[in-house]
Amino acid sequence: MMKEKMLNWVEERFDLSAIRHLTREKTVPVHRYTPFYYFGGLALFFFVVQIVTGILLMLYYKPTGENAYESIRTIMTQVRFGWLIRSIHVWGTNLMMLAVLLHTFAKYFLKAYRKPRELTWISGFFLLVLALGFSFTGHPLPWNEFAYFAAKIGTASIGSVPLVGPWLLEAIRGGQGVTGNTISRLFALHVVVLPLVTIGLVILHLLFVQIQGSSVPIKVKPVGEIPFFPNFFLRDLRVWMGALIVLVGLATFIPAELGKKAAQFASAPAGLKPDWYFLPMYQILKWIPSTILGISGELIGIGLISTGALLILVVPFLDVKASREEESTWFTVIGVFVLFVFMLAITIYAKLY
Amino acid sequence: MNASRRKFLDGLLGLFSLAGLAALAYPILRYITPIKKREDSTLSVVASKINVLTPNTGKLFKFGSKPGILIMTPEGKYRAFSAVCTHLGCIVQYSSKDQQIWCPCHNGWFDLNGHVVSGPPPRDLERYTVFIKGQDIIVKKEKA
Ligand code: HEM
Ligand code: FES
């Protein structure tokens, strides 16, 4: 057969055992939490959608202060299916964030971070930060009113980081203020730096999963296992098809808006709020008074947020019980508290008021 | 080769590698740092004509490369401030209803002297002097 021959030809030159292992021997354990294994793949699917639609947007988008807004308007009004491509990219950001967050919480509650998967968790944590970075650098690009103030506020909070803050602020803005220079810099980060780093890290993340196999939650006895390829892969595919339908549906029926062009000499519009996944951070910055005991509120906010992030990063090392395969109820309780009380309640509060 | 000598050479190699990295990083960091534009030397501008504002209203004006806000108080007096919120730099607006200056980004409020009333802004708005010359309302900054 032709296919056999070609495979043999390659095999004579390269050792394909790793790929053969993936396609023939990798299995996925089956238990009542197996559906929780879908979210990582879902995040990956959305990430690929972002890359494809992002490349398409790049064909028409112009990253300068004078042309950015107009080029997006051209995409939305003149380029055939431009509105759809842009809407998918915008909705894709939201759904990817959702998938990444669900994936994080799934792995958290299943304690998949416990020994020996600490490094998988850590690489995942940085993927979460990168996902937020994509949103941060992407949002200002259309250069509408919302974009302009998002860039302004977002970068201004970087400025209050101790020591390097002021330099970082200027480096990211390309000057003192938020101008066309800022677009060029954010654009370079958004389309080159972040994708390169993210792709590298995703490969590492998946390599870890591939080497160690899927973790089984503590005290759960799998009822069996199914081959990854094709069985689990086909289930993944089913989830992705569903995701694509939802994504295209949202993009079609609630298309992304463009709004007014950014004006450097206009007041900030009322009701300006960041995207939902930044709302907890935003609300905290809003609640913290300007100074507490002589320390600036900004600094305290940044301190709180970095401490929280650091705690998430080192969860595998804090939860020693889980590493001994004992149930660590406390971590579940804290997780429930952080997710429902902190994230959800604050998000809803910030959305409403 | 004895152990201490090897250690010394390893250390030296490490040091040279660091120096090499620094030599690579330095021009890149310098390149990233934006060019300093000359400071805005605008000290005064015509912010508006008279008869544009009515009592208890305000408008934005360009002060060099930064926005300023000119307000006519309910008593009919002109006041001018920097319109850049001292919190995270949003552009403020005059709220006739509250007779205060409002920053919508995180709900910061300033009174008609530019003092912080509530919200996260850490400092008062920079205040400018206002005088009228013929038909023009002129706003002046003390120093650049
Ligand atoms: C762009 C973002 C991400 C992508 C594309 C991604 C992708 C994946 C995929 C495809 C898997 C295997 C399937 C699964 O078990 O769900 C996986 C596993 C895993 N991920 Fe992620 N991930 C991302 C972010 C994260 C984040 C933010 C975390 C946590 C902080 C994380 C932690 C983990 C862990 C601990 C596993 C091990 C799974 C196990 O053996 O059960 N990942 N990831
Ligand atoms: S930027 Fe004005 S209150 Fe935050």
PDB file of all heavy atoms in Angstrom, chain A residues 202-235:
ATOM      1  N   VAL A 202       2.908  25.984  25.336  1.00  0.00           N
ATOM      2  CA  VAL A 202       1.856  24.972  25.132  1.00  0.00           C
ATOM      3  C   VAL A 202       2.515  23.639  24.780  1.00  0.00           C
ATOM      4  O   VAL A 202       2.131  22.582  25.301  1.00  0.00           O
ATOM      5  CB  VAL A 202       0.873  25.406  24.017  1.00  0.00           C
ATOM      6  CG1 VAL A 202       0.009  24.237  23.576  1.00  0.00           C
ATOM      7  CG2 VAL A 202      -0.019  26.534  24.507  1.00  0.00           C
ATOM      8  N   ILE A 203       3.546  23.696  23.932  1.00  0.00           N
ATOM      9  CA  ILE A 203       4.239  22.458  23.560  1.00  0.00           C
ATOM     10  C   ILE A 203       4.830  21.794  24.809  1.00  0.00           C
ATOM     11  O   ILE A 203       4.673  20.594  25.045  1.00  0.00           O
ATOM     12  CB  ILE A 203       5.335  22.741  22.504  1.00  0.00           C
ATOM     13  CG1 ILE A 203       4.669  23.117  21.177  1.00  0.00           C
ATOM     14  CG2 ILE A 203       6.241  21.532  22.323  1.00  0.00           C
ATOM     15  CD1 ILE A 203       5.635  23.564  20.102  1.00  0.00           C
ATOM     16  N   LEU A 204       5.445  22.596  25.666  1.00  0.00           N
ATOM     17  CA  LEU A 204       6.035  22.065  26.897  1.00  0.00           C
ATOM     18  C   LEU A 204       4.952  21.452  27.793  1.00  0.00           C
ATOM     19  O   LEU A 204       5.086  20.336  28.302  1.00  0.00           O
ATOM     20  CB  LEU A 204       6.733  23.208  27.641  1.00  0.00           C
ATOM     21  CG  LEU A 204       7.682  22.803  28.761  1.00  0.00           C
ATOM     22  CD1 LEU A 204       8.898  22.112  28.179  1.00  0.00           C
ATOM     23  CD2 LEU A 204       8.100  24.028  29.558  1.00  0.00           C
ATOM     24  N   HIS A 205       3.858  22.204  27.944  1.00  0.00           N
ATOM     25  CA  HIS A 205       2.719  21.788  28.768  1.00  0.00           C
ATOM     26  C   HIS A 205       2.189  20.428  28.282  1.00  0.00           C
ATOM     27  O   HIS A 205       1.976  19.507  29.071  1.00  0.00           O
ATOM     28  CB  HIS A 205       1.645  22.872  28.609  1.00  0.00           C
ATOM     29  CG  HIS A 205       0.512  22.829  29.578  1.00  0.00           C
ATOM     30  ND1 HIS A 205       0.663  23.099  30.909  1.00  0.00           N
ATOM     31  CD2 HIS A 205      -0.811  22.585  29.399  1.00  0.00           C
ATOM     32  CE1 HIS A 205      -0.519  23.019  31.504  1.00  0.00           C
ATOM     33  NE2 HIS A 205      -1.431  22.705  30.608  1.00  0.00           N
ATOM     34  N   LEU A 206       2.032  20.294  26.967  1.00  0.00           N
ATOM     35  CA  LEU A 206       1.490  19.054  26.417  1.00  0.00           C
ATOM     36  C   LEU A 206       2.506  17.920  26.498  1.00  0.00           C
ATOM     37  O   LEU A 206       2.141  16.760  26.671  1.00  0.00           O
ATOM     38  CB  LEU A 206       1.044  19.270  24.968  1.00  0.00           C
ATOM     39  CG  LEU A 206      -0.123  20.239  24.818  1.00  0.00           C
ATOM     40  CD1 LEU A 206      -0.571  20.326  23.374  1.00  0.00           C
ATOM     41  CD2 LEU A 206      -1.279  19.817  25.699  1.00  0.00           C
ATOM     42  N   LEU A 207       3.777  18.280  26.396  1.00  0.00           N
ATOM     43  CA  LEU A 207       4.832  17.282  26.540  1.00  0.00           C
ATOM     44  C   LEU A 207       4.764  16.671  27.933  1.00  0.00           C
ATOM     45  O   LEU A 207       4.846  15.453  28.114  1.00  0.00           O
ATOM     46  CB  LEU A 207       6.183  17.962  26.320  1.00  0.00           C
ATOM     47  CG  LEU A 207       7.329  17.071  25.855  1.00  0.00           C
ATOM     48  CD1 LEU A 207       7.007  16.499  24.487  1.00  0.00           C
ATOM     49  CD2 LEU A 207       8.617  17.865  25.820  1.00  0.00           C
ATOM     50  N   PHE A 208       4.583  17.530  28.930  1.00  0.00           N
ATOM     51  CA  PHE A 208       4.470  17.036  30.311  1.00  0.00           C
ATOM     52  C   PHE A 208       3.296  16.078  30.428  1.00  0.00           C
ATOM     53  O   PHE A 208       3.410  14.994  31.004  1.00  0.00           O
ATOM     54  CB  PHE A 208       4.262  18.199  31.288  1.00  0.00           C
ATOM     55  CG  PHE A 208       5.470  19.066  31.485  1.00  0.00           C
ATOM     56  CD1 PHE A 208       5.336  20.372  31.955  1.00  0.00           C
ATOM     57  CD2 PHE A 208       6.745  18.585  31.229  1.00  0.00           C
ATOM     58  CE1 PHE A 208       6.446  21.174  32.150  1.00  0.00           C
ATOM     59  CE2 PHE A 208       7.864  19.380  31.417  1.00  0.00           C
ATOM     60  CZ  PHE A 208       7.710  20.682  31.875  1.00  0.00           C
ATOM     61  N   VAL A 209       2.140  16.496  29.849  1.00  0.00           N
ATOM     62  CA  VAL A 209       0.942  15.653  29.944  1.00  0.00           C
ATOM     63  C   VAL A 209       1.191  14.329  29.231  1.00  0.00           C
ATOM     64  O   VAL A 209       0.822  13.256  29.706  1.00  0.00           O
ATOM     65  CB  VAL A 209      -0.269  16.382  29.342  1.00  0.00           C
ATOM     66  CG1 VAL A 209      -1.500  15.492  29.390  1.00  0.00           C
ATOM     67  CG2 VAL A 209      -0.537  17.682  30.086  1.00  0.00           C
ATOM     68  N   GLN A 210       1.858  14.433  28.079  1.00  0.00           N
ATOM     69  CA  GLN A 210       2.128  13.251  27.271  1.00  0.00           C
ATOM     70  C   GLN A 210       3.031  12.272  28.020  1.00  0.00           C
ATOM     71  O   GLN A 210       2.789  11.069  28.033  1.00  0.00           O
ATOM     72  CB  GLN A 210       2.766  13.714  25.957  1.00  0.00           C
ATOM     73  CG  GLN A 210       3.173  12.626  25.010  1.00  0.00           C
ATOM     74  CD  GLN A 210       1.983  11.770  24.609  1.00  0.00           C
ATOM     75  OE1 GLN A 210       0.840  12.217  24.669  1.00  0.00           O
ATOM     76  NE2 GLN A 210       2.248  10.536  24.237  1.00  0.00           N
ATOM     77  N   ILE A 211       4.066  12.794  28.669  1.00  0.00           N
ATOM     78  CA  ILE A 211       5.013  11.927  29.375  1.00  0.00           C
ATOM     79  C   ILE A 211       4.355  11.255  30.583  1.00  0.00           C
ATOM     80  O   ILE A 211       4.549  10.073  30.836  1.00  0.00           O
ATOM     81  CB  ILE A 211       6.252  12.738  29.823  1.00  0.00           C
ATOM     82  CG1 ILE A 211       7.049  13.195  28.591  1.00  0.00           C
ATOM     83  CG2 ILE A 211       7.146  11.899  30.732  1.00  0.00           C
ATOM     84  CD1 ILE A 211       8.129  14.197  28.908  1.00  0.00           C
ATOM     85  N   GLN A 212       3.532  12.023  31.308  1.00  0.00           N
ATOM     86  CA  GLN A 212       3.005  11.497  32.565  1.00  0.00           C
ATOM     87  C   GLN A 212       1.623  10.865  32.439  1.00  0.00           C
ATOM     88  O   GLN A 212       1.178  10.190  33.358  1.00  0.00           O
ATOM     89  CB  GLN A 212       2.938  12.624  33.597  1.00  0.00           C
ATOM     90  CG  GLN A 212       4.306  13.183  33.924  1.00  0.00           C
ATOM     91  CD  GLN A 212       4.220  14.314  34.896  1.00  0.00           C
ATOM     92  OE1 GLN A 212       3.254  15.071  34.892  1.00  0.00           O
ATOM     93  NE2 GLN A 212       5.234  14.440  35.740  1.00  0.00           N
ATOM     94  N   GLY A 213       0.961  11.085  31.331  1.00  0.00           N
ATOM     95  CA  GLY A 213      -0.406  10.574  31.203  1.00  0.00           C
ATOM     96  C   GLY A 213      -1.356  11.429  32.021  1.00  0.00           C
ATOM     97  O   GLY A 213      -0.934  12.308  32.758  1.00  0.00           O
ATOM     98  N   SER A 214      -2.660  11.151  31.905  1.00  0.00           N
ATOM     99  CA  SER A 214      -3.636  11.969  32.634  1.00  0.00           C
ATOM    100  C   SER A 214      -3.690  11.535  34.086  1.00  0.00           C
ATOM    101  O   SER A 214      -3.652  10.354  34.389  1.00  0.00           O
ATOM    102  CB  SER A 214      -5.013  11.792  32.015  1.00  0.00           C
ATOM    103  OG  SER A 214      -4.960  12.162  30.656  1.00  0.00           O
ATOM    104  N   SER A 215      -3.807  12.499  34.957  1.00  0.00           N
ATOM    105  CA  SER A 215      -3.882  12.163  36.378  1.00  0.00           C
ATOM    106  C   SER A 215      -5.294  11.696  36.707  1.00  0.00           C
ATOM    107  O   SER A 215      -6.266  12.099  36.081  1.00  0.00           O
ATOM    108  CB  SER A 215      -3.524  13.379  37.226  1.00  0.00           C
ATOM    109  OG  SER A 215      -4.651  14.168  37.458  1.00  0.00           O
ATOM    110  N   VAL A 216      -5.368  10.843  37.709  1.00  0.00           N
ATOM    111  CA  VAL A 216      -6.659  10.388  38.209  1.00  0.00           C
ATOM    112  C   VAL A 216      -6.844  11.038  39.577  1.00  0.00           C
ATOM    113  O   VAL A 216      -5.917  11.037  40.376  1.00  0.00           O
ATOM    114  CB  VAL A 216      -6.686   8.856  38.326  1.00  0.00           C
ATOM    115  CG1 VAL A 216      -7.988   8.385  38.953  1.00  0.00           C
ATOM    116  CG2 VAL A 216      -6.483   8.228  36.956  1.00  0.00           C
ATOM    117  N   PRO A 217      -8.038  11.606  39.837  1.00  0.00           N
ATOM    118  CA  PRO A 217      -8.244  12.281  41.123  1.00  0.00           C
ATOM    119  C   PRO A 217      -8.010  11.342  42.311  1.00  0.00           C
ATOM    120  O   PRO A 217      -8.162  10.126  42.187  1.00  0.00           O
ATOM    121  CB  PRO A 217      -9.708  12.724  41.065  1.00  0.00           C
ATOM    122  CG  PRO A 217     -10.092  12.680  39.636  1.00  0.00           C
ATOM    123  CD  PRO A 217      -9.200  11.721  38.957  1.00  0.00           C
ATOM    124  N   ILE A 218      -7.669  11.927  43.461  1.00  0.00           N
ATOM    125  CA  ILE A 218      -7.388  11.155  44.667  1.00  0.00           C
ATOM    126  C   ILE A 218      -8.580  10.271  45.031  1.00  0.00           C
ATOM    127  O   ILE A 218      -9.719  10.723  44.990  1.00  0.00           O
ATOM    128  CB  ILE A 218      -7.081  12.120  45.839  1.00  0.00           C
ATOM    129  CG1 ILE A 218      -5.875  12.997  45.490  1.00  0.00           C
ATOM    130  CG2 ILE A 218      -6.846  11.368  47.128  1.00  0.00           C
ATOM    131  CD1 ILE A 218      -5.673  14.161  46.403  1.00  0.00           C
ATOM    132  N   LYS A 219      -8.299   9.020  45.357  1.00  0.00           N
ATOM    133  CA  LYS A 219      -9.300   8.053  45.825  1.00  0.00           C
ATOM    134  C   LYS A 219     -10.372   7.742  44.790  1.00  0.00           C
ATOM    135  O   LYS A 219     -11.431   7.213  45.127  1.00  0.00           O
ATOM    136  CB  LYS A 219      -9.986   8.548  47.117  1.00  0.00           C
ATOM    137  CG  LYS A 219      -9.012   8.815  48.248  1.00  0.00           C
ATOM    138  CD  LYS A 219      -9.393   8.093  49.526  1.00  0.00           C
ATOM    139  CE  LYS A 219      -8.221   8.025  50.475  1.00  0.00           C
ATOM    140  NZ  LYS A 219      -8.153   9.163  51.408  1.00  0.00           N
ATOM    141  N   VAL A 220     -10.137   8.080  43.513  1.00  0.00           N
ATOM    142  CA  VAL A 220     -11.096   7.712  42.476  1.00  0.00           C
ATOM    143  C   VAL A 220     -10.552   6.481  41.763  1.00  0.00           C
ATOM    144  O   VAL A 220      -9.377   6.436  41.409  1.00  0.00           O
ATOM    145  CB  VAL A 220     -11.308   8.866  41.468  1.00  0.00           C
ATOM    146  CG1 VAL A 220     -12.072   8.382  40.254  1.00  0.00           C
ATOM    147  CG2 VAL A 220     -12.035  10.024  42.130  1.00  0.00           C
ATOM    148  N   LYS A 221     -11.396   5.456  41.616  1.00  0.00           N
ATOM    149  CA  LYS A 221     -10.959   4.247  40.921  1.00  0.00           C
ATOM    150  C   LYS A 221     -11.533   4.273  39.506  1.00  0.00           C
ATOM    151  O   LYS A 221     -12.750   4.149  39.343  1.00  0.00           O
ATOM    152  CB  LYS A 221     -11.489   2.999  41.640  1.00  0.00           C
ATOM    153  CG  LYS A 221     -10.839   2.719  42.984  1.00  0.00           C
ATOM    154  CD  LYS A 221     -10.075   1.407  42.953  1.00  0.00           C
ATOM    155  CE  LYS A 221      -9.223   1.159  44.182  1.00  0.00           C
ATOM    156  NZ  LYS A 221      -8.794   2.312  44.950  1.00  0.00           N
ATOM    157  N   PRO A 222     -10.671   4.403  38.485  1.00  0.00           N
ATOM    158  CA  PRO A 222     -11.203   4.412  37.127  1.00  0.00           C
ATOM    159  C   PRO A 222     -11.901   3.087  36.830  1.00  0.00           C
ATOM    160  O   PRO A 222     -11.464   2.042  37.297  1.00  0.00           O
ATOM    161  CB  PRO A 222      -9.961   4.565  36.253  1.00  0.00           C
ATOM    162  CG  PRO A 222      -8.892   5.048  37.161  1.00  0.00           C
ATOM    163  CD  PRO A 222      -9.210   4.547  38.527  1.00  0.00           C
ATOM    164  N   VAL A 223     -12.989   3.167  36.054  1.00  0.00           N
ATOM    165  CA  VAL A 223     -13.684   1.943  35.687  1.00  0.00           C
ATOM    166  C   VAL A 223     -13.027   1.292  34.479  1.00  0.00           C
ATOM    167  O   VAL A 223     -13.384   0.177  34.100  1.00  0.00           O
ATOM    168  CB  VAL A 223     -15.176   2.203  35.382  1.00  0.00           C
ATOM    169  CG1 VAL A 223     -15.900   2.621  36.637  1.00  0.00           C
ATOM    170  CG2 VAL A 223     -15.325   3.270  34.305  1.00  0.00           C
ATOM    171  N   GLY A 224     -12.080   1.989  33.887  1.00  0.00           N
ATOM    172  CA  GLY A 224     -11.373   1.433  32.742  1.00  0.00           C
ATOM    173  C   GLY A 224     -10.599   2.533  32.051  1.00  0.00           C
ATOM    174  O   GLY A 224     -10.405   3.599  32.628  1.00  0.00           O
ATOM    175  N   GLU A 225     -10.145   2.237  30.849  1.00  0.00           N
ATOM    176  CA  GLU A 225      -9.494   3.297  30.100  1.00  0.00           C
ATOM    177  C   GLU A 225      -9.805   3.135  28.630  1.00  0.00           C
ATOM    178  O   GLU A 225     -10.104   2.040  28.163  1.00  0.00           O
ATOM    179  CB  GLU A 225      -7.993   3.311  30.367  1.00  0.00           C
ATOM    180  CG  GLU A 225      -7.318   1.961  30.272  1.00  0.00           C
ATOM    181  CD  GLU A 225      -5.838   2.050  30.622  1.00  0.00           C
ATOM    182  OE1 GLU A 225      -5.477   2.887  31.459  1.00  0.00           O
ATOM    183  OE2 GLU A 225      -5.059   1.293  30.034  1.00  0.00           O
ATOM    184  N   ILE A 226      -9.762   4.270  27.901  1.00  0.00           N
ATOM    185  CA  ILE A 226     -10.014   4.195  26.465  1.00  0.00           C
ATOM    186  C   ILE A 226      -8.783   4.729  25.748  1.00  0.00           C
ATOM    187  O   ILE A 226      -8.064   5.578  26.295  1.00  0.00           O
ATOM    188  CB  ILE A 226     -11.254   5.015  26.048  1.00  0.00           C
ATOM    189  CG1 ILE A 226     -11.156   6.443  26.587  1.00  0.00           C
ATOM    190  CG2 ILE A 226     -12.529   4.347  26.518  1.00  0.00           C
ATOM    191  CD1 ILE A 226     -12.226   7.369  26.054  1.00  0.00           C
ATOM    192  N   PRO A 227      -8.514   4.237  24.535  1.00  0.00           N
ATOM    193  CA  PRO A 227      -7.361   4.763  23.796  1.00  0.00           C
ATOM    194  C   PRO A 227      -7.558   6.259  23.538  1.00  0.00           C
ATOM    195  O   PRO A 227      -8.687   6.706  23.317  1.00  0.00           O
ATOM    196  CB  PRO A 227      -7.401   3.984  22.474  1.00  0.00           C
ATOM    197  CG  PRO A 227      -8.304   2.831  22.708  1.00  0.00           C
ATOM    198  CD  PRO A 227      -9.247   3.219  23.788  1.00  0.00           C
ATOM    199  N   PHE A 228      -6.444   6.999  23.600  1.00  0.00           N
ATOM    200  CA  PHE A 228      -6.556   8.423  23.287  1.00  0.00           C
ATOM    201  C   PHE A 228      -6.947   8.586  21.825  1.00  0.00           C
ATOM    202  O   PHE A 228      -7.819   9.371  21.481  1.00  0.00           O
ATOM    203  CB  PHE A 228      -5.237   9.139  23.558  1.00  0.00           C
ATOM    204  CG  PHE A 228      -5.265  10.582  23.141  1.00  0.00           C
ATOM    205  CD1 PHE A 228      -5.936  11.520  23.906  1.00  0.00           C
ATOM    206  CD2 PHE A 228      -4.667  10.992  21.957  1.00  0.00           C
ATOM    207  CE1 PHE A 228      -6.010  12.838  23.504  1.00  0.00           C
ATOM    208  CE2 PHE A 228      -4.741  12.325  21.556  1.00  0.00           C
ATOM    209  CZ  PHE A 228      -5.410  13.236  22.328  1.00  0.00           C
ATOM    210  N   PHE A 229      -6.239   7.791  20.984  1.00  0.00           N
ATOM    211  CA  PHE A 229      -6.507   7.883  19.560  1.00  0.00           C
ATOM    212  C   PHE A 229      -7.091   6.577  19.073  1.00  0.00           C
ATOM    213  O   PHE A 229      -6.505   5.542  19.282  1.00  0.00           O
ATOM    214  CB  PHE A 229      -5.196   8.203  18.816  1.00  0.00           C
ATOM    215  CG  PHE A 229      -5.424   8.832  17.495  1.00  0.00           C
ATOM    216  CD1 PHE A 229      -5.611  10.195  17.396  1.00  0.00           C
ATOM    217  CD2 PHE A 229      -5.486   8.054  16.347  1.00  0.00           C
ATOM    218  CE1 PHE A 229      -5.844  10.783  16.162  1.00  0.00           C
ATOM    219  CE2 PHE A 229      -5.721   8.640  15.127  1.00  0.00           C
ATOM    220  CZ  PHE A 229      -5.899  10.001  15.027  1.00  0.00           C
ATOM    221  N   PRO A 230      -8.222   6.532  18.427  1.00  0.00           N
ATOM    222  CA  PRO A 230      -9.050   7.689  18.063  1.00  0.00           C
ATOM    223  C   PRO A 230     -10.134   8.034  19.100  1.00  0.00           C
ATOM    224  O   PRO A 230     -10.731   9.084  18.992  1.00  0.00           O
ATOM    225  CB  PRO A 230      -9.719   7.220  16.785  1.00  0.00           C
ATOM    226  CG  PRO A 230      -9.897   5.738  16.983  1.00  0.00           C
ATOM    227  CD  PRO A 230      -8.765   5.294  17.850  1.00  0.00           C
ATOM    228  N   ASN A 231     -10.381   7.126  20.107  1.00  0.00           N
ATOM    229  CA  ASN A 231     -11.584   7.294  20.929  1.00  0.00           C
ATOM    230  C   ASN A 231     -11.690   8.644  21.622  1.00  0.00           C
ATOM    231  O   ASN A 231     -12.660   9.377  21.451  1.00  0.00           O
ATOM    232  CB  ASN A 231     -11.662   6.186  21.980  1.00  0.00           C
ATOM    233  CG  ASN A 231     -11.669   4.816  21.331  1.00  0.00           C
ATOM    234  OD1 ASN A 231     -10.876   4.552  20.426  1.00  0.00           O
ATOM    235  ND2 ASN A 231     -12.560   3.951  21.768  1.00  0.00           N
ATOM    236  N   PHE A 232     -10.668   8.967  22.441  1.00  0.00           N
ATOM    237  CA  PHE A 232     -10.792  10.215  23.185  1.00  0.00           C
ATOM    238  C   PHE A 232     -10.691  11.411  22.252  1.00  0.00           C
ATOM    239  O   PHE A 232     -11.369  12.418  22.428  1.00  0.00           O
ATOM    240  CB  PHE A 232      -9.737  10.307  24.285  1.00  0.00           C
ATOM    241  CG  PHE A 232     -10.025  11.411  25.253  1.00  0.00           C
ATOM    242  CD1 PHE A 232     -11.001  11.270  26.230  1.00  0.00           C
ATOM    243  CD2 PHE A 232      -9.357  12.627  25.164  1.00  0.00           C
ATOM    244  CE1 PHE A 232     -11.307  12.300  27.098  1.00  0.00           C
ATOM    245  CE2 PHE A 232      -9.667  13.664  26.027  1.00  0.00           C
ATOM    246  CZ  PHE A 232     -10.635  13.499  26.994  1.00  0.00           C
ATOM    247  N   PHE A 233      -9.838  11.255  21.237  1.00  0.00           N
ATOM    248  CA  PHE A 233      -9.675  12.348  20.289  1.00  0.00           C
ATOM    249  C   PHE A 233     -11.005  12.675  19.602  1.00  0.00           C
ATOM    250  O   PHE A 233     -11.342  13.841  19.395  1.00  0.00           O
ATOM    251  CB  PHE A 233      -8.612  11.983  19.249  1.00  0.00           C
ATOM    252  CG  PHE A 233      -8.376  13.073  18.253  1.00  0.00           C
ATOM    253  CD1 PHE A 233      -7.702  14.227  18.620  1.00  0.00           C
ATOM    254  CD2 PHE A 233      -8.857  12.967  16.948  1.00  0.00           C
ATOM    255  CE1 PHE A 233      -7.519  15.251  17.709  1.00  0.00           C
ATOM    256  CE2 PHE A 233      -8.670  13.982  16.044  1.00  0.00           C
ATOM    257  CZ  PHE A 233      -7.998  15.125  16.416  1.00  0.00           C
ATOM    258  N   LEU A 234     -11.775  11.652  19.289  1.00  0.00           N
ATOM    259  CA  LEU A 234     -13.069  11.893  18.649  1.00  0.00           C
ATOM    260  C   LEU A 234     -14.023  12.608  19.604  1.00  0.00           C
ATOM    261  O   LEU A 234     -14.808  13.463  19.197  1.00  0.00           O
ATOM    262  CB  LEU A 234     -13.684  10.577  18.175  1.00  0.00           C
ATOM    263  CG  LEU A 234     -13.041  10.016  16.904  1.00  0.00           C
ATOM    264  CD1 LEU A 234     -13.603   8.653  16.566  1.00  0.00           C
ATOM    265  CD2 LEU A 234     -13.238  10.980  15.744  1.00  0.00           C
ATOM    266  N   ARG A 235     -13.922  12.268  20.887  1.00  0.00           N
ATOM    267  CA  ARG A 235     -14.758  12.986  21.868  1.00  0.00           C
ATOM    268  C   ARG A 235     -14.329  14.446  21.941  1.00  0.00           C
ATOM    269  O   ARG A 235     -15.159  15.345  22.014  1.00  0.00           O
ATOM    270  CB  ARG A 235     -14.602  12.356  23.245  1.00  0.00           C
ATOM    271  CG  ARG A 235     -15.181  10.979  23.335  1.00  0.00           C
ATOM    272  CD  ARG A 235     -15.285  10.629  24.790  1.00  0.00           C
ATOM    273  NE  ARG A 235     -15.596   9.224  24.975  1.00  0.00           N
ATOM    274  CZ  ARG A 235     -15.841   8.705  26.172  1.00  0.00           C
ATOM    275  NH1 ARG A 235     -15.780   9.461  27.246  1.00  0.00           N
ATOM    276  NH2 ARG A 235     -16.134   7.435  26.283  1.00  0.00           N
TER     277      ARG A 235
END
